[in-house]
Amino acid sequence: MNHRALLTVLIVLAIPANARAQAAKPVPVTLEKTADGYRLLRDGKPFFIKGAGGSGPLDRLKAAGANSNRTWGADNLGPMLDEAQKLGLTITVGIWLGHEEHGFSYNNANQVADQVAQVRKSVEQYKNHPAVLMWALGNEMEGYGAGDNAAIWSAINNLAVMVKRLDPNHPVMTVISEIGGDRVKNINRLCPDVDIVGINSYGGGPSIPERYKAAGGTKPYVLTEYGPGGTWETGKTAWGAAQELTSTQKAEAYRRTYTQAIVNRPLSLGGYAFTWGFKQEATATWFGMLLSDGSNLGVVDTMTELWSGKPPANRCPVINSLKLDGPDQVDPGATVHASFNVTDPDGDPLQVTWVLQPEADRYNLGGSSERALPTYPEAIVKSGKDGADVKLPAEAGGYRLFAYARDGKGNAAVGNIPLLVKGEIKPVAATAAKLPFTVYSDQGQGDAVYVPTGWMGNIKALKLDEGCKIQPHSGTTCIQCDYSAGNDWAGVVWQSPANDWGDLPGGRNLNGAKRLTFWARGDKGTETVTFLIGLIGADSKYPDTAQAKLETKLTTAWQQFSMDLTGKDLTRVKTGFAFTVAGQGRPVTFYLDDIRYE
């Protein structure tokens, strides 16, 4: 390297990453009206989105024939954009917008203003990066009802106007939960400056073109999430357990949506398969193109063929059948036999692993990642490639038997069978508490019944310091809560026992308590925080018997807050205290102290 080239490198490296991003030259992307629909032009050339959303390895996504990846938020996106550029991939940059179910109000001028500031910051930070394809404002921020809150759509259009003024080189999309209710109508009449409609659709994916047109859709669309039917769309067992497709069957579901709703459709600009990676949601395998160990599932083979025009050199195992030889409702401790027929298209020897897990206590709709469920390795009495003998636990309730087949070359297949152990589920009564009962103070309450282990939402941006010594309300310490993201949301639940969401006995019988009191203050004095108790619903084995909620704006001075518990059934309080904080356009810091039931 000559001295001039070396000097240039040194100068570039001396420039902060954000400054380099601002100095980069964007690749312009435009939306063009055609004779029968729309198309994207990137640097003047037609660009059809062949992508996936998720945080799996980008090099493997590129190798599968994809040309784009989608994110849900824009925090710390620089390294991902840089990697995508090196690989020749593009990124649809998602900018998270507040959800009312997380405590955000589109009628709250301060929250809306903070959100505008955060969107502006993200756009200005990344608008010149050559890997940016478009902006995606929000993800299902309209909720899961009718989508008829005009304040939300008006706020989105205002954001679209700002984004296009800041960055004329990239289109603006907003992402909705399916197309039911008034979503399409409201986007048409209240969001004229939104260029593209992003649609998340699973079981209904193949019929999107017809349904979108019938709903009055005229803007171009992107299938921003598609895959197998969700738990809300599939068949159920006699006891209500959702029936999951095998990975082989799911691959065909992706194919149907891609061929029927994405390619060769006038208003379609492409799609993002869900999800490029692994996700615990409803079960360990319901959504995810990869297993937790990184193994490819059959959908990767299918999408590789659809994206690149040819299948991969080595393919995933194929599940021909997975069934129970006998009833699926059995007595406690009964032994059942499952038969498995799985083959490998390349003739690779297969290793089959059997896993028994309890059924999830609920099927959530919001898409948040969930805790991993425990396993019962002792239940697998005998197992092999063709089947397994499984001794069910003595405890009544739902279970799920998984069969994983791996070919030793990074490919896998998986299926599962729901099971029910008959009998009455008898929750263990909660221990009665002596009042007043302390959840937190620097003196503690001796046995630390409630533990802050229930982390929710964007937990990577959340920190909790229970030994903070910055101006405690009393004693020598308090709790410092830091949320560093300007958007999205996060929260912490004080659980009993730790890490439990209703599967295990615990909590306290707090009957006799009239109120929950706590002290709180904000670092800047404008922080909006929601405080709660009782997050575990009645569909769980060990639910909370009472709920309470308080949303408040903090000041810089310590204030005592109180939740009225008069008349509530406090027989079992499993989640004794919780908070959620939504992105407010800047990092949020607040402090808690002296949390107790009185």
Side-chain angles (χ1 to χ4, degrees):
M1 179 180 293
N2 62 43
H3 289 86
R4 177 174 294 179
L6 177 60
L7 180 61
T8 301
V9 171
L10 291 175
I11 291 173
V12 170
L13 292 177
I15 301 173
N18 287 350
R20 294 204 303 272
Q22 290 299 313
K25 184 179 180 181
V27 176
V29 179
T30 57
L31 184 64
E32 182 182 66
K33 184 80 169 69
T34 65
D36 59 351
Y38 291 88
R39 67 176 180 173
L40 288 176
L41 297 177
R42 183 170 184 264
D43 205 16
K45 302 173 184 177
F47 187 92
F48 188 76
I49 299 171
K50 297 185 286 186
S55 57
L58 290 184
D59 57 343
R60 289 171 56 187
L61 183 63
K62 174 67 175 181
N67 61 16
S68 193
N69 183 260
R70 174 204 171 198
T71 74
W72 285 259
D75 292 329
N76 304 314
L77 197 60
M80 182 181 187
L81 287 167
D82 291 343
E83 183 183 4
Q85 182 188 1
K86 292 176 182 177
L87 292 169
L89 292 171
T90 64
I91 301 292
T92 284
V93 179
I95 302 179
W96 188 265
L97 300 183
H99 289 214
E100 292 188 314
E101 64 185 42
H102 300 151
F104 191 95
S105 173
Y106 283 85
N107 295 310
N108 183 316
N110 290 328
Q111 286 186 318
V112 170
D114 288 342
Q115 181 163 267
V116 170
Q118 179 60 36
V119 173
R120 177 189 294 275
K121 178 182 176 182
S122 297
V123 173
E124 289 180 337
Q125 183 173 6
Y126 299 119
K127 66 181 182 180
N128 291 330
H129 200 291
V132 172
L133 180 67
M134 70 174 78
W135 304 101
L137 295 174
N139 184 78
E140 302 183 353
M141 60 279 129
E142 81 282 6
Y144 308 105
D148 57 357
N149 186 343
I152 294 176
W153 304 113
S154 296
I156 290 168
N157 193 69
N158 291 338
L159 289 172
V161 171
M162 180 186 71
V163 171
K164 292 164 81 168
R165 184 176 67 249
L166 294 171
D167 177 18
N169 291 309
H170 301 101
V172 175
M173 174 170 68
T174 193
V175 180
I176 57 177
S177 171
E178 256 288 346
I179 57 172
D182 294 327
R183 287 168 176 77
V184 177
K185 179 178 74 173
N186 285 329
I187 288 175
N188 285 346
R189 64 178 184 164
L190 297 174
C191 299
D193 293 282
V194 170
D195 301 309
I196 300 163
V197 181
I199 303 170
N200 294 343
S201 182
Y202 291 88
S207 62
I208 280 292
E210 293 75 24
R211 292 191 293 118
Y212 183 61
K213 181 179 179 180
T218 57
K219 293 178 185 283
Y221 67 80
V222 175
L223 261 291
T224 37
E225 291 179 19
Y226 65 94
T231 55
W232 60 95
E233 298 171 307
T234 190
K236 302 291 192 298
T237 64
W239 62 93
Q243 295 171 324
E244 182 176 353
L245 299 176
T246 67
S247 57
T248 302
Q249 293 168 326
K250 289 177 187 177
E252 288 308 306
Y254 282 84
R255 183 187 296 275
R256 283 193 297 273
T257 295
Y258 190 82
T259 57
Q260 296 179 35
I262 295 177
V263 293
N264 300 320
R265 291 290 182 166
L267 295 181
S268 171
L269 302 175
Y272 291 96
F274 186 86
T275 174
W276 183 249
F278 162 81
K279 188 178 186 188
Q280 173 78 41
E281 185 177 346
T283 74
T285 57
W286 200 289
F287 298 105
M289 300 168 75
L290 311 175
L291 291 179
S292 60
D293 64 1
S295 298
N296 292 330
L297 291 172
V299 64
V300 178
D301 290 1
T302 295
M303 296 315 302
T304 298
E305 177 190 340
L306 294 171
W307 288 333
S308 70
K310 58 182 180 180
N314 190 273
R315 293 162 292 174
C316 292
V318 174
I319 295 176
N320 303 305
S321 67
L322 173 62
K323 61 183 181 179
L324 202 64
D325 298 335
D328 55 9
Q329 300 184 47
V330 298
D331 294 327
T335 297
V336 300
H337 180 78
S339 297
F340 194 34
N341 185 319
V342 59
T343 55
D344 190 87
D346 306 297
D348 297 324
L350 297 177
Q351 179 181 359
V352 176
T353 305
W354 296 83
V355 177
L356 183 71
Q357 290 185 289
E359 181 71 348
D361 51 35
R362 66 176 65 81
Y363 303 132
N364 296 317
L365 293 179
S368 296
S369 294
E370 301 166 4
R371 73 196 189 285
L373 297 170
T375 61
Y376 300 88
E378 69 283 356
I380 311 302
V381 178
K382 181 180 178 182
S383 64
K385 177 178 176 292
D386 300 322
D389 292 331
V390 182
K391 182 178 175 63
L392 275 299
E395 191 173 11
Y399 297 86
R400 208 171 274 259
L401 177 63
F402 293 80
Y404 296 85
R406 292 177 172 86
D407 68 358
K409 296 183 178 179
N411 302 309
V414 62
N416 67 64
I417 302 171
L419 297 161
L420 179 71
V421 173
K422 294 183 290 186
E424 182 182 358
I425 300 176
K426 299 178 180 179
V428 177
T431 302
K434 181 180 179 181
L435 300 174
F437 183 85
T438 300
V439 175
Y440 173 87
S441 76
D442 61 356
Q443 289 81 32
Q445 79 271 1
D447 55 356
V449 172
Y450 295 106
V451 188
T453 52
W455 291 53
M456 310 177 293
N458 184 11
I459 61 176
K460 292 181 180 179
L462 188 62
K463 293 182 180 178
L464 204 67
D465 180 3
E466 292 187 88
C468 175
K469 296 184 178 181
I470 302 175
Q471 301 176 15
H473 170 256
S474 67
T476 59
T477 63
C478 61
I479 302 171
Q480 179 177 336
C481 312
D482 294 295
Y483 183 61
S484 61
N487 54 15
D488 209 339
W489 72 282
V492 176
V493 184
W494 274 252
Q495 299 172 302
S496 173
N499 300 302
D500 178 68
W501 291 93
D503 296 326
L504 302 172
R508 284 294 182 267
N509 180 340
L510 292 163
N511 275 331
K514 302 299 182 184
R515 58 190 172 272
L516 170 69
T517 64
F518 59 94
W519 290 79
R521 69 176 179 88
D523 185 55
K524 304 295 184 184
T526 58
E527 298 82 0
T528 298
V529 185
T530 300
F531 300 99
L532 315 96
I533 68 167
L535 277 71
I536 301 176
D539 55 342
S540 299
K541 184 176 181 180
Y542 294 96
D544 284 298
T545 55
Q547 294 78 38
K549 178 179 179 180
L550 174 67
E551 180 180 338
T552 187
K553 178 175 286 188
L554 305 179
T555 68
T556 55
W558 283 108
Q559 293 177 282
Q560 187 178 41
F561 298 93
S562 178
M563 293 187 196
D564 184 12
L565 303 177
T566 305
K568 291 185 179 293
D569 177 8
L570 304 174
T571 304
R572 180 186 295 106
V573 179
K574 292 287 302 300
T575 52
F577 184 71
F579 71 80
T580 62
V581 55
Q584 295 165 28
R586 57 175 174 78
V588 174
T589 297
F590 62 96
Y591 304 86
L592 299 168
D593 208 347
D594 296 327
I595 308 168
R596 62 172 54 91
Y597 287 83
E598 300 175 349

